[in-house]
PDB file of all heavy atoms in Angstrom:
ATOM      1  N   TYR Q1167      16.137 112.489 -92.255  1.00 97.00           N
ATOM      2  CA  TYR Q1167      16.925 112.660 -91.018  1.00 97.00           C
ATOM      3  C   TYR Q1167      17.684 111.362 -90.716  1.00 97.00           C
ATOM      4  O   TYR Q1167      17.098 110.297 -90.704  1.00 97.00           O
ATOM      5  CB  TYR Q1167      15.976 113.020 -89.909  1.00 97.00           C
ATOM      6  CG  TYR Q1167      16.581 113.345 -88.561  1.00 97.00           C
ATOM      7  CD1 TYR Q1167      17.354 114.466 -88.400  1.00 97.00           C
ATOM      8  CD2 TYR Q1167      16.351 112.498 -87.460  1.00 97.00           C
ATOM      9  CE1 TYR Q1167      17.889 114.805 -87.129  1.00 97.00           C
ATOM     10  CE2 TYR Q1167      16.864 112.840 -86.222  1.00 97.00           C
ATOM     11  CZ  TYR Q1167      17.650 113.968 -86.069  1.00 97.00           C
ATOM     12  OH  TYR Q1167      18.143 114.281 -84.823  1.00 97.00           O
ATOM     13  N   GLY Q1168      18.990 111.507 -90.381  1.00 96.00           N
ATOM     14  CA  GLY Q1168      19.778 110.336 -90.048  1.00 96.00           C
ATOM     15  C   GLY Q1168      21.099 110.711 -89.426  1.00 96.00           C
ATOM     16  O   GLY Q1168      21.290 111.879 -88.935  1.00 96.00           O
ATOM     17  N   ARG Q1169      22.026 109.779 -89.437  1.00 95.00           N
ATOM     18  CA  ARG Q1169      23.331 109.990 -88.831  1.00 95.00           C
ATOM     19  C   ARG Q1169      24.009 111.199 -89.397  1.00 95.00           C
ATOM     20  O   ARG Q1169      24.587 112.033 -88.669  1.00 95.00           O
ATOM     21  CB  ARG Q1169      24.173 108.781 -89.048  1.00 95.00           C
ATOM     22  CG  ARG Q1169      25.696 108.923 -88.766  1.00 95.00           C
ATOM     23  CD  ARG Q1169      26.398 107.592 -88.988  1.00 95.00           C
ATOM     24  NE  ARG Q1169      27.852 107.740 -88.960  1.00 95.00           N
ATOM     25  CZ  ARG Q1169      28.594 107.793 -89.998  1.00 95.00           C
ATOM     26  NH1 ARG Q1169      28.075 107.754 -91.227  1.00 95.00           N
ATOM     27  NH2 ARG Q1169      29.900 107.944 -89.916  1.00 95.00           N
ATOM     28  N   LEU Q1170      23.948 111.400 -90.695  1.00 95.00           N
ATOM     29  CA  LEU Q1170      24.589 112.520 -91.351  1.00 95.00           C
ATOM     30  C   LEU Q1170      23.990 113.867 -90.877  1.00 95.00           C
ATOM     31  O   LEU Q1170      24.686 114.799 -90.607  1.00 95.00           O
ATOM     32  CB  LEU Q1170      24.460 112.421 -92.866  1.00 95.00           C
ATOM     33  CG  LEU Q1170      25.176 113.508 -93.710  1.00 95.00           C
ATOM     34  CD1 LEU Q1170      26.679 113.487 -93.454  1.00 95.00           C
ATOM     35  CD2 LEU Q1170      24.859 113.300 -95.196  1.00 95.00           C
ATOM     36  N   SER Q1171      22.678 113.891 -90.691  1.00 97.00           N
ATOM     37  CA  SER Q1171      21.977 115.098 -90.216  1.00 97.00           C
ATOM     38  C   SER Q1171      22.448 115.448 -88.791  1.00 97.00           C
ATOM     39  O   SER Q1171      22.880 116.604 -88.500  1.00 97.00           O
ATOM     40  CB  SER Q1171      20.452 114.861 -90.145  1.00 97.00           C
ATOM     41  OG  SER Q1171      19.967 114.170 -91.252  1.00 97.00           O
ATOM     42  N   VAL Q1172      22.473 114.439 -87.917  1.00 98.00           N
ATOM     43  CA  VAL Q1172      22.835 114.661 -86.464  1.00 98.00           C
ATOM     44  C   VAL Q1172      24.263 115.161 -86.386  1.00 98.00           C
ATOM     45  O   VAL Q1172      24.543 116.186 -85.724  1.00 98.00           O
ATOM     46  CB  VAL Q1172      22.633 113.387 -85.640  1.00 98.00           C
ATOM     47  CG1 VAL Q1172      23.090 113.623 -84.244  1.00 98.00           C
ATOM     48  CG2 VAL Q1172      21.181 112.961 -85.660  1.00 98.00           C
ATOM     49  N   MET Q1173      25.206 114.459 -87.040  1.00 97.00           N
ATOM     50  CA  MET Q1173      26.597 114.826 -86.894  1.00 97.00           C
ATOM     51  C   MET Q1173      26.943 116.130 -87.578  1.00 97.00           C
ATOM     52  O   MET Q1173      27.717 116.944 -87.058  1.00 97.00           O
ATOM     53  CB  MET Q1173      27.474 113.702 -87.439  1.00 97.00           C
ATOM     54  CG  MET Q1173      27.402 112.393 -86.663  1.00 97.00           C
ATOM     55  SD  MET Q1173      27.597 112.597 -84.831  1.00 97.00           S
ATOM     56  CE  MET Q1173      29.207 113.445 -84.741  1.00 97.00           C
ATOM     57  N   THR Q1174      26.332 116.418 -88.750  1.00 98.00           N
ATOM     58  CA  THR Q1174      26.572 117.665 -89.372  1.00 98.00           C
ATOM     59  C   THR Q1174      26.067 118.833 -88.535  1.00 98.00           C
ATOM     60  O   THR Q1174      26.762 119.864 -88.336  1.00 98.00           O
ATOM     61  CB  THR Q1174      25.858 117.714 -90.773  1.00 98.00           C
ATOM     62  OG1 THR Q1174      26.371 116.655 -91.585  1.00 98.00           O
ATOM     63  CG2 THR Q1174      26.069 119.060 -91.455  1.00 98.00           C
ATOM     64  N   GLN Q1175      24.901 118.656 -87.979  1.00 98.00           N
ATOM     65  CA  GLN Q1175      24.300 119.756 -87.130  1.00 98.00           C
ATOM     66  C   GLN Q1175      25.031 119.916 -85.807  1.00 98.00           C
ATOM     67  O   GLN Q1175      24.925 121.002 -85.170  1.00 98.00           O
ATOM     68  CB  GLN Q1175      22.820 119.539 -87.008  1.00 98.00           C
ATOM     69  CG  GLN Q1175      22.080 119.693 -88.315  1.00 98.00           C
ATOM     70  CD  GLN Q1175      20.678 119.171 -88.337  1.00 98.00           C
ATOM     71  OE1 GLN Q1175      19.972 119.188 -87.295  1.00 98.00           O
ATOM     72  NE2 GLN Q1175      20.240 118.664 -89.471  1.00 98.00           N
ATOM     73  N   TYR Q1176      25.732 118.863 -85.363  1.00 98.00           N
ATOM     74  CA  TYR Q1176      26.564 119.017 -84.198  1.00 98.00           C
ATOM     75  C   TYR Q1176      27.733 119.963 -84.502  1.00 98.00           C
ATOM     76  O   TYR Q1176      28.058 120.822 -83.674  1.00 98.00           O
ATOM     77  CB  TYR Q1176      27.132 117.649 -83.703  1.00 98.00           C
ATOM     78  CG  TYR Q1176      28.148 117.777 -82.656  1.00 98.00           C
ATOM     79  CD1 TYR Q1176      27.826 118.160 -81.322  1.00 98.00           C
ATOM     80  CD2 TYR Q1176      29.531 117.606 -82.911  1.00 98.00           C
ATOM     81  CE1 TYR Q1176      28.783 118.314 -80.352  1.00 98.00           C
ATOM     82  CE2 TYR Q1176      30.500 117.783 -81.936  1.00 98.00           C
ATOM     83  CZ  TYR Q1176      30.113 118.114 -80.648  1.00 98.00           C
ATOM     84  OH  TYR Q1176      31.085 118.301 -79.684  1.00 98.00           O
ATOM     85  N   TYR Q1177      28.275 119.827 -85.655  1.00 98.00           N
ATOM     86  CA  TYR Q1177      29.442 120.629 -86.050  1.00 98.00           C
ATOM     87  C   TYR Q1177      29.128 121.975 -86.683  1.00 98.00           C
ATOM     88  O   TYR Q1177      29.842 122.956 -86.530  1.00 98.00           O
ATOM     89  CB  TYR Q1177      30.361 119.866 -87.055  1.00 98.00           C
ATOM     90  CG  TYR Q1177      31.152 118.765 -86.437  1.00 98.00           C
ATOM     91  CD1 TYR Q1177      30.773 117.428 -86.645  1.00 98.00           C
ATOM     92  CD2 TYR Q1177      32.291 118.998 -85.709  1.00 98.00           C
ATOM     93  CE1 TYR Q1177      31.535 116.385 -86.114  1.00 98.00           C
ATOM     94  CE2 TYR Q1177      33.065 117.949 -85.167  1.00 98.00           C
ATOM     95  CZ  TYR Q1177      32.658 116.659 -85.371  1.00 98.00           C
ATOM     96  OH  TYR Q1177      33.412 115.642 -84.817  1.00 98.00           O
ATOM     97  N   CYS Q1178      27.994 122.068 -87.397  1.00 98.00           N
ATOM     98  CA  CYS Q1178      27.739 123.247 -88.259  1.00 98.00           C
ATOM     99  C   CYS Q1178      26.295 123.643 -88.289  1.00 98.00           C
ATOM    100  O   CYS Q1178      25.410 122.796 -88.105  1.00 98.00           O
ATOM    101  CB  CYS Q1178      28.146 122.913 -89.737  1.00 98.00           C
ATOM    102  SG  CYS Q1178      29.789 122.368 -90.032  1.00 98.00           S
ATOM    103  N   SER Q1179      26.055 124.904 -88.654  1.00 98.00           N
ATOM    104  CA  SER Q1179      24.723 125.314 -89.048  1.00 98.00           C
ATOM    105  C   SER Q1179      24.655 125.037 -90.544  1.00 98.00           C
ATOM    106  O   SER Q1179      25.656 125.145 -91.307  1.00 98.00           O
ATOM    107  CB  SER Q1179      24.461 126.794 -88.781  1.00 98.00           C
ATOM    108  OG  SER Q1179      25.327 127.602 -89.542  1.00 98.00           O
ATOM    109  N   VAL Q1180      23.470 124.638 -91.002  1.00 98.00           N
ATOM    110  CA  VAL Q1180      23.285 124.157 -92.408  1.00 98.00           C
ATOM    111  C   VAL Q1180      22.232 125.041 -93.111  1.00 98.00           C
ATOM    112  O   VAL Q1180      21.132 125.272 -92.622  1.00 98.00           O
ATOM    113  CB  VAL Q1180      22.771 122.715 -92.408  1.00 98.00           C
ATOM    114  CG1 VAL Q1180      22.621 122.216 -93.852  1.00 98.00           C
ATOM    115  CG2 VAL Q1180      23.701 121.825 -91.612  1.00 98.00           C
ATOM    116  N   ALA Q1181      22.607 125.591 -94.286  1.00 97.00           N
ATOM    117  CA  ALA Q1181      21.691 126.421 -95.079  1.00 97.00           C
ATOM    118  C   ALA Q1181      21.764 126.040 -96.526  1.00 97.00           C
ATOM    119  O   ALA Q1181      22.766 126.320 -97.188  1.00 97.00           O
ATOM    120  CB  ALA Q1181      22.052 127.865 -94.858  1.00 97.00           C
ATOM    121  N   PRO Q1182      20.707 125.373 -97.068  1.00 96.00           N
ATOM    122  CA  PRO Q1182      20.654 125.154 -98.522  1.00 96.00           C
ATOM    123  C   PRO Q1182      20.643 126.478 -99.302  1.00 96.00           C
ATOM    124  O   PRO Q1182      19.996 127.425 -98.850  1.00 96.00           O
ATOM    125  CB  PRO Q1182      19.341 124.382 -98.697  1.00 96.00           C
ATOM    126  CG  PRO Q1182      19.061 123.795 -97.332  1.00 96.00           C
ATOM    127  CD  PRO Q1182      19.558 124.798 -96.340  1.00 96.00           C
ATOM    128  N   VAL Q1183      21.386 126.604-100.401  1.00 96.00           N
ATOM    129  CA  VAL Q1183      21.550 127.814-101.129  1.00 96.00           C
ATOM    130  C   VAL Q1183      20.717 127.822-102.416  1.00 96.00           C
ATOM    131  O   VAL Q1183      19.947 128.696-102.668  1.00 96.00           O
ATOM    132  CB  VAL Q1183      23.004 128.107-101.426  1.00 96.00           C
ATOM    133  CG1 VAL Q1183      23.201 129.360-102.300  1.00 96.00           C
ATOM    134  CG2 VAL Q1183      23.801 128.272-100.088  1.00 96.00           C
ATOM    135  N   LEU Q1184      20.926 126.783-103.266  1.00 96.00           N
ATOM    136  CA  LEU Q1184      20.141 126.692-104.474  1.00 96.00           C
ATOM    137  C   LEU Q1184      20.182 125.270-105.050  1.00 96.00           C
ATOM    138  O   LEU Q1184      21.081 124.481-104.752  1.00 96.00           O
ATOM    139  CB  LEU Q1184      20.645 127.674-105.563  1.00 96.00           C
ATOM    140  CG  LEU Q1184      21.951 127.364-106.288  1.00 96.00           C
ATOM    141  CD1 LEU Q1184      21.898 127.991-107.698  1.00 96.00           C
ATOM    142  CD2 LEU Q1184      23.136 127.960-105.552  1.00 96.00           C
ATOM    143  N   THR Q1185      19.127 124.950-105.814  1.00 96.00           N
ATOM    144  CA  THR Q1185      19.056 123.646-106.496  1.00 96.00           C
ATOM    145  C   THR Q1185      19.618 123.764-107.894  1.00 96.00           C
ATOM    146  O   THR Q1185      19.397 124.821-108.573  1.00 96.00           O
ATOM    147  CB  THR Q1185      17.593 123.175-106.531  1.00 96.00           C
ATOM    148  OG1 THR Q1185      17.094 123.018-105.205  1.00 96.00           O
ATOM    149  CG2 THR Q1185      17.459 121.846-107.246  1.00 96.00           C
ATOM    150  N   VAL Q1186      20.307 122.731-108.323  1.00 95.00           N
ATOM    151  CA  VAL Q1186      20.945 122.784-109.653  1.00 95.00           C
ATOM    152  C   VAL Q1186      20.524 121.562-110.484  1.00 95.00           C
ATOM    153  O   VAL Q1186      20.693 120.456-110.047  1.00 95.00           O
ATOM    154  CB  VAL Q1186      22.491 122.752-109.507  1.00 95.00           C
ATOM    155  CG1 VAL Q1186      23.191 122.837-110.838  1.00 95.00           C
ATOM    156  CG2 VAL Q1186      22.983 123.895-108.604  1.00 95.00           C
ATOM    157  N   PRO Q1187      19.969 121.751-111.707  1.00 93.00           N
ATOM    158  CA  PRO Q1187      19.497 120.652-112.532  1.00 93.00           C
ATOM    159  C   PRO Q1187      20.677 119.905-113.180  1.00 93.00           C
ATOM    160  O   PRO Q1187      21.777 120.455-113.303  1.00 93.00           O
ATOM    161  CB  PRO Q1187      18.633 121.377-113.575  1.00 93.00           C
ATOM    162  CG  PRO Q1187      19.252 122.726-113.679  1.00 93.00           C
ATOM    163  CD  PRO Q1187      19.716 123.099-112.290  1.00 93.00           C
ATOM    164  N   PRO Q1188      20.426 118.657-113.601  1.00 93.00           N
ATOM    165  CA  PRO Q1188      21.519 117.834-114.241  1.00 93.00           C
ATOM    166  C   PRO Q1188      22.108 118.550-115.473  1.00 93.00           C
ATOM    167  O   PRO Q1188      23.348 118.386-115.703  1.00 93.00           O
ATOM    168  CB  PRO Q1188      20.780 116.561-114.637  1.00 93.00           C
ATOM    169  CG  PRO Q1188      19.624 116.442-113.659  1.00 93.00           C
ATOM    170  CD  PRO Q1188      19.197 117.874-113.422  1.00 93.00           C
ATOM    171  N   GLY Q1189      21.318 119.279-116.199  1.00 93.00           N
ATOM    172  CA  GLY Q1189      21.802 119.936-117.428  1.00 93.00           C
ATOM    173  C   GLY Q1189      22.898 120.954-117.212  1.00 93.00           C
ATOM    174  O   GLY Q1189      23.508 121.400-118.185  1.00 93.00           O
ATOM    175  N   ALA Q1190      23.159 121.356-115.951  1.00 91.00           N
ATOM    176  CA  ALA Q1190      24.181 122.323-115.676  1.00 91.00           C
ATOM    177  C   ALA Q1190      25.565 121.706-115.737  1.00 91.00           C
ATOM    178  O   ALA Q1190      26.591 122.391-115.622  1.00 91.00           O
ATOM    179  CB  ALA Q1190      23.970 122.972-114.306  1.00 91.00           C
ATOM    180  N   PHE Q1191      25.622 120.343-115.888  1.00 89.00           N
ATOM    181  CA  PHE Q1191      26.903 119.627-115.869  1.00 89.00           C
ATOM    182  C   PHE Q1191      27.129 118.914-117.190  1.00 89.00           C
ATOM    183  O   PHE Q1191      26.221 118.562-117.922  1.00 89.00           O
ATOM    184  CB  PHE Q1191      26.870 118.568-114.790  1.00 89.00           C
ATOM    185  CG  PHE Q1191      26.701 119.105-113.399  1.00 89.00           C
ATOM    186  CD1 PHE Q1191      25.422 119.226-112.879  1.00 89.00           C
ATOM    187  CD2 PHE Q1191      27.776 119.434-112.610  1.00 89.00           C
ATOM    188  CE1 PHE Q1191      25.207 119.653-111.559  1.00 89.00           C
ATOM    189  CE2 PHE Q1191      27.614 119.891-111.305  1.00 89.00           C
ATOM    190  CZ  PHE Q1191      26.303 120.029-110.791  1.00 89.00           C
ATOM    191  N   LYS Q1192      28.435 118.658-117.478  1.00 84.00           N
ATOM    192  CA  LYS Q1192      28.810 117.742-118.529  1.00 84.00           C
ATOM    193  C   LYS Q1192      29.777 116.735-117.948  1.00 84.00           C
ATOM    194  O   LYS Q1192      30.809 117.143-117.385  1.00 84.00           O
ATOM    195  CB  LYS Q1192      29.484 118.502-119.685  1.00 84.00           C
ATOM    196  CG  LYS Q1192      28.513 119.356-120.465  1.00 84.00           C
ATOM    197  CD  LYS Q1192      29.223 120.015-121.649  1.00 84.00           C
ATOM    198  CE  LYS Q1192      28.262 120.923-122.454  1.00 84.00           C
ATOM    199  NZ  LYS Q1192      28.911 121.606-123.532  1.00 84.00           N
ATOM    200  N   PRO Q1193      29.518 115.414-118.090  1.00 84.00           N
ATOM    201  CA  PRO Q1193      28.219 114.826-118.466  1.00 84.00           C
ATOM    202  C   PRO Q1193      27.182 115.068-117.385  1.00 84.00           C
ATOM    203  O   PRO Q1193      27.511 115.223-116.218  1.00 84.00           O
ATOM    204  CB  PRO Q1193      28.554 113.344-118.561  1.00 84.00           C
ATOM    205  CG  PRO Q1193      29.673 113.150-117.619  1.00 84.00           C
ATOM    206  CD  PRO Q1193      30.510 114.381-117.677  1.00 84.00           C
ATOM    207  N   PRO Q1194      25.893 115.180-117.759  1.00 88.00           N
ATOM    208  CA  PRO Q1194      24.852 115.438-116.718  1.00 88.00           C
ATOM    209  C   PRO Q1194      24.730 114.232-115.794  1.00 88.00           C
ATOM    210  O   PRO Q1194      24.654 113.060-116.266  1.00 88.00           O
ATOM    211  CB  PRO Q1194      23.580 115.630-117.561  1.00 88.00           C
ATOM    212  CG  PRO Q1194      23.880 114.982-118.888  1.00 88.00           C
ATOM    213  CD  PRO Q1194      25.324 115.085-119.121  1.00 88.00           C
ATOM    214  N   PRO Q1195      24.688 114.433-114.518  1.00 86.00           N
ATOM    215  CA  PRO Q1195      24.436 113.347-113.576  1.00 86.00           C
ATOM    216  C   PRO Q1195      22.972 112.916-113.696  1.00 86.00           C
ATOM    217  O   PRO Q1195      22.169 113.595-114.303  1.00 86.00           O
ATOM    218  CB  PRO Q1195      24.745 113.950-112.185  1.00 86.00           C
ATOM    219  CG  PRO Q1195      24.529 115.425-112.353  1.00 86.00           C
ATOM    220  CD  PRO Q1195      24.891 115.724-113.801  1.00 86.00           C
ATOM    221  N   LYS Q1196      22.657 111.792-113.064  1.00 88.00           N
ATOM    222  CA  LYS Q1196      21.289 111.282-113.146  1.00 88.00           C
ATOM    223  C   LYS Q1196      20.381 111.817-112.035  1.00 88.00           C
ATOM    224  O   LYS Q1196      19.225 111.386-111.912  1.00 88.00           O
ATOM    225  CB  LYS Q1196      21.304 109.736-113.071  1.00 88.00           C
ATOM    226  CG  LYS Q1196      22.003 109.136-114.265  1.00 88.00           C
ATOM    227  CD  LYS Q1196      22.097 107.600-114.177  1.00 88.00           C
ATOM    228  CE  LYS Q1196      22.848 107.054-115.375  1.00 88.00           C
ATOM    229  NZ  LYS Q1196      23.016 105.536-115.253  1.00 88.00           N
ATOM    230  N   VAL Q1197      20.899 112.735-111.229  1.00 90.00           N
ATOM    231  CA  VAL Q1197      20.146 113.283-110.078  1.00 90.00           C
ATOM    232  C   VAL Q1197      20.276 114.767-110.062  1.00 90.00           C
ATOM    233  O   VAL Q1197      21.168 115.376-110.660  1.00 90.00           O
ATOM    234  CB  VAL Q1197      20.683 112.678-108.783  1.00 90.00           C
ATOM    235  CG1 VAL Q1197      20.441 111.210-108.667  1.00 90.00           C
ATOM    236  CG2 VAL Q1197      22.193 112.974-108.593  1.00 90.00           C
ATOM    237  N   ASP Q1198      19.344 115.439-109.343  1.00 94.00           N
ATOM    238  CA  ASP Q1198      19.462 116.867-109.132  1.00 94.00           C
ATOM    239  C   ASP Q1198      20.554 117.111-108.124  1.00 94.00           C
ATOM    240  O   ASP Q1198      20.901 116.287-107.289  1.00 94.00           O
ATOM    241  CB  ASP Q1198      18.173 117.420-108.572  1.00 94.00           C
ATOM    242  CG  ASP Q1198      17.076 117.596-109.635  1.00 94.00           C
ATOM    243  OD1 ASP Q1198      17.456 117.670-110.784  1.00 94.00           O
ATOM    244  OD2 ASP Q1198      15.888 117.694-109.249  1.00 94.00           O
ATOM    245  N   SER Q1199      21.155 118.313-108.212  1.00 94.00           N
ATOM    246  CA  SER Q1199      22.186 118.718-107.282  1.00 94.00           C
ATOM    247  C   SER Q1199      21.739 119.938-106.497  1.00 94.00           C
ATOM    248  O   SER Q1199      20.686 120.519-106.757  1.00 94.00           O
ATOM    249  CB  SER Q1199      23.529 119.036-108.043  1.00 94.00           C
ATOM    250  OG  SER Q1199      23.883 117.969-108.848  1.00 94.00           O
ATOM    251  N   ALA Q1200      22.498 120.316-105.496  1.00 96.00           N
ATOM    252  CA  ALA Q1200      22.166 121.525-104.735  1.00 96.00           C
ATOM    253  C   ALA Q1200      23.441 122.014-104.068  1.00 96.00           C
ATOM    254  O   ALA Q1200      24.389 121.293-103.820  1.00 96.00           O
ATOM    255  CB  ALA Q1200      21.123 121.177-103.651  1.00 96.00           C
ATOM    256  N   VAL Q1201      23.437 123.336-103.820  1.00 97.00           N
ATOM    257  CA  VAL Q1201      24.547 123.970-103.130  1.00 97.00           C
ATOM    258  C   VAL Q1201      24.130 124.185-101.646  1.00 97.00           C
ATOM    259  O   VAL Q1201      22.997 124.615-101.407  1.00 97.00           O
ATOM    260  CB  VAL Q1201      24.946 125.295-103.783  1.00 97.00           C
ATOM    261  CG1 VAL Q1201      26.045 125.974-103.028  1.00 97.00           C
ATOM    262  CG2 VAL Q1201      25.366 125.064-105.218  1.00 97.00           C
ATOM    263  N   VAL Q1202      25.042 123.905-100.752  1.00 97.00           N
ATOM    264  CA  VAL Q1202      24.782 124.078 -99.311  1.00 97.00           C
ATOM    265  C   VAL Q1202      25.861 124.915 -98.696  1.00 97.00           C
ATOM    266  O   VAL Q1202      27.033 124.894 -99.093  1.00 97.00           O
ATOM    267  CB  VAL Q1202      24.647 122.730 -98.613  1.00 97.00           C
ATOM    268  CG1 VAL Q1202      25.996 121.923 -98.613  1.00 97.00           C
ATOM    269  CG2 VAL Q1202      24.059 122.863 -97.196  1.00 97.00           C
ATOM    270  N   ARG Q1203      25.478 125.734 -97.697  1.00 98.00           N
ATOM    271  CA  ARG Q1203      26.457 126.481 -96.909  1.00 98.00           C
ATOM    272  C   ARG Q1203      26.471 125.885 -95.481  1.00 98.00           C
ATOM    273  O   ARG Q1203      25.493 125.765 -94.864  1.00 98.00           O
ATOM    274  CB  ARG Q1203      25.998 127.970 -96.813  1.00 98.00           C
ATOM    275  CG  ARG Q1203      26.982 128.834 -95.941  1.00 98.00           C
ATOM    276  CD  ARG Q1203      26.461 130.261 -95.786  1.00 98.00           C
ATOM    277  NE  ARG Q1203      26.504 130.979 -97.043  1.00 98.00           N
ATOM    278  CZ  ARG Q1203      25.469 131.478 -97.689  1.00 98.00           C
ATOM    279  NH1 ARG Q1203      24.183 131.326 -97.194  1.00 98.00           N
ATOM    280  NH2 ARG Q1203      25.617 132.156 -98.829  1.00 98.00           N
ATOM    281  N   LEU Q1204      27.712 125.540 -95.081  1.00 98.00           N
ATOM    282  CA  LEU Q1204      27.933 124.997 -93.737  1.00 98.00           C
ATOM    283  C   LEU Q1204      28.841 125.937 -93.002  1.00 98.00           C
ATOM    284  O   LEU Q1204      29.961 126.252 -93.444  1.00 98.00           O
ATOM    285  CB  LEU Q1204      28.602 123.586 -93.851  1.00 98.00           C
ATOM    286  CG  LEU Q1204      27.916 122.511 -94.683  1.00 98.00           C
ATOM    287  CD1 LEU Q1204      28.785 121.292 -94.817  1.00 98.00           C
ATOM    288  CD2 LEU Q1204      26.550 122.137 -94.027  1.00 98.00           C
ATOM    289  N   ILE Q1205      28.405 126.371 -91.832  1.00 98.00           N
ATOM    290  CA  ILE Q1205      29.197 127.279 -90.981  1.00 98.00           C
ATOM    291  C   ILE Q1205      29.423 126.590 -89.663  1.00 98.00           C
ATOM    292  O   ILE Q1205      28.551 126.358 -88.861  1.00 98.00           O
ATOM    293  CB  ILE Q1205      28.434 128.617 -90.753  1.00 98.00           C
ATOM    294  CG1 ILE Q1205      28.107 129.281 -92.100  1.00 98.00           C
ATOM    295  CG2 ILE Q1205      29.285 129.536 -89.878  1.00 98.00           C
ATOM    296  CD1 ILE Q1205      27.308 130.556 -91.959  1.00 98.00           C
ATOM    297  N   PRO Q1206      30.728 126.220 -89.394  1.00 98.00           N
ATOM    298  CA  PRO Q1206      31.027 125.574 -88.133  1.00 98.00           C
ATOM    299  C   PRO Q1206      30.629 126.426 -86.928  1.00 98.00           C
ATOM    300  O   PRO Q1206      30.781 127.653 -86.909  1.00 98.00           O
ATOM    301  CB  PRO Q1206      32.561 125.423 -88.196  1.00 98.00           C
ATOM    302  CG  PRO Q1206      32.851 125.322 -89.622  1.00 98.00           C
ATOM    303  CD  PRO Q1206      31.891 126.276 -90.286  1.00 98.00           C
ATOM    304  N   HIS Q1207      30.049 125.795 -85.926  1.00 98.00           N
ATOM    305  CA  HIS Q1207      29.566 126.510 -84.696  1.00 98.00           C
ATOM    306  C   HIS Q1207      30.850 127.027 -83.952  1.00 98.00           C
ATOM    307  O   HIS Q1207      31.850 126.356 -83.845  1.00 98.00           O
ATOM    308  CB  HIS Q1207      28.866 125.557 -83.782  1.00 98.00           C
ATOM    309  CG  HIS Q1207      27.610 124.980 -84.356  1.00 98.00           C
ATOM    310  ND1 HIS Q1207      26.538 125.769 -84.782  1.00 98.00           N
ATOM    311  CD2 HIS Q1207      27.247 123.708 -84.556  1.00 98.00           C
ATOM    312  CE1 HIS Q1207      25.541 124.989 -85.218  1.00 98.00           C
ATOM    313  NE2 HIS Q1207      25.940 123.757 -85.124  1.00 98.00           N
TER     314      HIS Q1207
END
């Protein structure tokens, strides 16, 4: 929780959709990824 959480939630509702492993990309990043849905209030 931080500044990004507070300001994002002021503007939007936040819903994580799915997690994506590095192998889904070329070149693979060094971190896991995720898809998020943001709906402005």
Side-chain angles (χ1 to χ4, degrees):
Y1167 184 67
R1169 167 177 170 261
L1170 183 61
S1171 319
V1172 177
M1173 294 311 304
T1174 299
Q1175 291 165 33
Y1176 171 73
Y1177 285 105
C1178 304
S1179 65
V1180 181
V1183 176
L1184 74 150
T1185 299
V1186 182
F1191 301 90
K1192 289 184 181 177
K1196 295 177 181 178
V1197 295
D1198 283 341
S1199 304
V1201 177
V1202 66
R1203 178 184 292 118
L1204 303 172
I1205 302 176
H1207 298 300

